Amino acid sequence: MTRPPIRVVLADDERMVRTALRAILGAEADLEVVGEAATGAEAVSVVRETRPDVVLMDVRMPEVDGIRATERILATLAEPPRVLVVTTFENDSYVYDALRAGAAGFLLKRADADTLVQAVRLLARSDTLLFPAAVRALAAEHARANPAPPAWAARLTEREGEVLRLMATGLTNAEIAGRMGVGPATVKTHVASVLAKTGSRDRTQAVVRAYEAGYTKPVS
């Protein structure tokens, strides 16, 4: 049975960037660009109308930036899309703020076409996160600013702590299950408990909080 195409929305204030992204994604039979936005406010509106699987989100946009747009999208939709931040600068506080807001990963604008296409496919079809190695410097900086262990750390069981650390390496539930030698359903239960105990909306927020608290060491 043929899968339906992965639906993508492009949010960037530069028309040329959107045109290039549309050309790259449109050349793939399993990807479909269903909308574009030049501002964060437009991105929220277009996402609500088109209900894509993935949003390619620039962080620096007029009116409403990509960070606020990401927050609104994830907070107001029952089944929100995965948000992939596409940015020019790797070590940018905007990138880290977007991840804190719930973005599932980020990609540099200079990435090649194959990398972009594979990132969209990966986010749409799995629960992985695309950011651990890229944000290690920013994560380390936040860890130094928050030296005290978080209160939630004591509430995690040993297994839950292991799951959280593996989540932070970008592994999916299925990959974590294979690493730990348990079933995917067991991992899903542990992830749900980690989210509840860390007060996180999703796995991105849980991993970011673990980084910031120094509970999880950034991947080198």
Side-chain angles (χ1 to χ4, degrees):
M1 185 175 179
T2 304
R3 287 180 174 180
I6 296 169
R7 296 163 57 82
V8 183
V9 162
L10 309 176
D12 196 293
D13 62 339
E14 295 186 34
R15 181 184 295 274
M16 290 182 63
V17 172
R18 299 199 307 274
T19 299
L21 292 174
R22 178 180 281 275
I24 292 170
L25 300 180
E28 304 296 323
D30 62 331
L31 305 180
E32 179 185 4
V33 176
V34 297
E36 296 185 19
T39 70
E42 286 182 8
V44 175
S45 178
V46 171
V47 167
R48 287 173 177 166
E49 292 173 3
T50 61
R51 299 303 172 98
D53 301 299
V54 177
V55 180
L56 299 188
M57 182 78 75
D58 186 19
V59 287
R60 299 175 184 246
M61 291 187 290
E63 297 180 20
V64 176
D65 64 25
I67 301 166
R68 303 287 86 77
T70 296
E71 288 178 336
R72 293 179 187 179
I73 289 169
L74 297 182
T76 59
L77 295 181
E79 297 183 4
R82 308 299 298 284
V83 176
L84 177 62
V85 172
V86 183
T87 182
T88 304
F89 305 105
E90 180 174 351
N91 295 319
D92 188 335
S93 61
Y94 277 85
V95 171
Y96 204 73
D97 288 342
L99 296 174
R100 288 163 114 182
F106 91 90
L107 199 66
L108 295 176
K109 288 186 177 180
R110 64 173 180 267
D112 59 43
D114 287 343
T115 300
L116 171 65
V117 168
Q118 291 307 317
V120 171
R121 287 175 178 151
L122 185 61
L123 285 187
R125 294 173 176 164
S126 75
D127 50 17
T128 193
L129 303 176
L130 298 177
F131 67 80
V135 297
R136 59 184 180 271
L138 289 171
E141 179 180 330
H142 282 277
R144 287 194 297 270
N146 297 277
W152 51 257
R155 297 194 291 269
L156 296 181
T157 65
E158 183 177 347
R159 279 296 210 182
E160 290 166 353
E162 184 179 1
V163 167
L164 177 55
R165 293 186 178 95
L166 290 173
M167 284 166 56
T169 68
L171 297 184
T172 65
N173 285 358
E175 290 168 336
I176 293 172
R179 184 74 64 87
M180 296 177 64
V182 299
T186 298
V187 173
K188 187 175 181 180
T189 298
H190 285 321
V191 170
S193 183
V194 167
L195 298 186
K197 290 180 179 180
T198 59
S200 303
R201 178 184 59 235
D202 52 35
R203 62 198 296 129
T204 306
Q205 285 193 340
V207 169
V208 168
R209 286 174 178 171
Y211 277 154
E212 290 181 341
Y215 183 83
T216 299
K217 300 303 180 184
V219 179
S220 59

